[in-house]
Structure formats: structure tokens, C-alpha cells
Amino acid sequence: VQLQASGGGLVQPGGSLRLSCAASGDIFGISVMAWYRQAPGKQREFVARISLGGTTMYANSVKGRFTISRDNAKNTVYLQMNSLKPEDTAVYICWVATTKAYWGQGTQVTVSS
């Protein structure tokens, strides 16, 4: 199973980015898909998750600014990030669960003027 994340980059405060993470390989029956992030010198933290049926959950720090969605036909999860703040700077890492859990490599998001 491979998870390929993309969409990161450098953006000014208040800007937007859309991350994608596509799962490929021996994928069958993906249930939950999620995003985590890890800033330099900090522990990995939960950002958002979405169930197979579309139920979502967000960290308080991103609620109202980030939106998670998924395309089940493409085994892809998205993270629309609006009103970005410098404290959102981190490597964003996707995670999916089937009968096992899988982590992607991550994509760097830098919010700076």
C-alpha cells in the first residue's frame, strides 16, 4: 500500500491550500481516512478524519478553517485549508485504515509572509 500526498507549499497568512492523498496498491475496504501534522520539534497531532460514510471530525485548532473530504472511487482524501496561520506550518501526513493502518510520507506546508 502506498499513500502519495501532494499539494503542499509556501503560502502567506490568510491564504489557502488544498492537499490530496491518493492510496494505491493492495487497497481493499478503506474505512477511515485522516490527516495529521507534525511541526518541527513537536509531536505529531491529529488534524481531521472522515469515515466511509462521510462523518467528519476536526481538531479544535482547525475547526471552521479546514475541510476534509474524500473520493471513494479514487481512494483519495483531500484537505482544503483556508485562513492559514503561521502556526499551521508543519508536514501534513495522511493516514488510512483498512484492516491495517497506513501512514503516508507527508507534504510540507509553510505559512509565512
Side-chain angles (χ1 to χ4, degrees):
V1 175
Q2 295 81 41
L3 298 177
Q4 183 64 51
S6 61
L10 173 64
V11 63
Q12 292 186 341
S16 298
L17 283 174
R18 188 188 192 216
L19 307 182
S20 301
C21 179
S24 61
D26 191 15
I27 287 288
F28 178 77
I30 296 177
S31 56
V32 180
M33 306 182 85
W35 288 95
Y36 288 74
R37 66 186 181 187
Q38 188 164 18
K42 295 187 177 181
Q43 289 188 332
R44 186 172 297 183
E45 64 174 1
F46 167 77
V47 175
R49 60 179 277 166
I50 183 167
S51 72
L52 180 62
T55 300
T56 58
M57 184 182 298
Y58 297 92
N60 287 336
S61 59
V62 307
K63 203 173 291 185
R65 301 187 297 122
F66 291 10
T67 302
I68 189 170
S69 61
R70 62 190 285 173
D71 184 332
N72 294 328
K74 296 180 179 179
N75 290 324
T76 300
V77 61
Y78 306 97
L79 187 68
Q80 177 66 43
M81 305 186 294
N82 299 328
S83 302
L84 282 161
K85 305 175 181 180
E87 52 263 43
D88 294 318
T89 295
V91 174
Y92 283 71
I93 305 158
C94 57
W95 176 95
V96 301
T98 59
T99 55
K100 299 180 181 180
Y102 301 92
W103 290 96
Q105 290 187 328
T107 183
Q108 176 70 46
V109 172
T110 303
V111 185
S112 175
S113 55

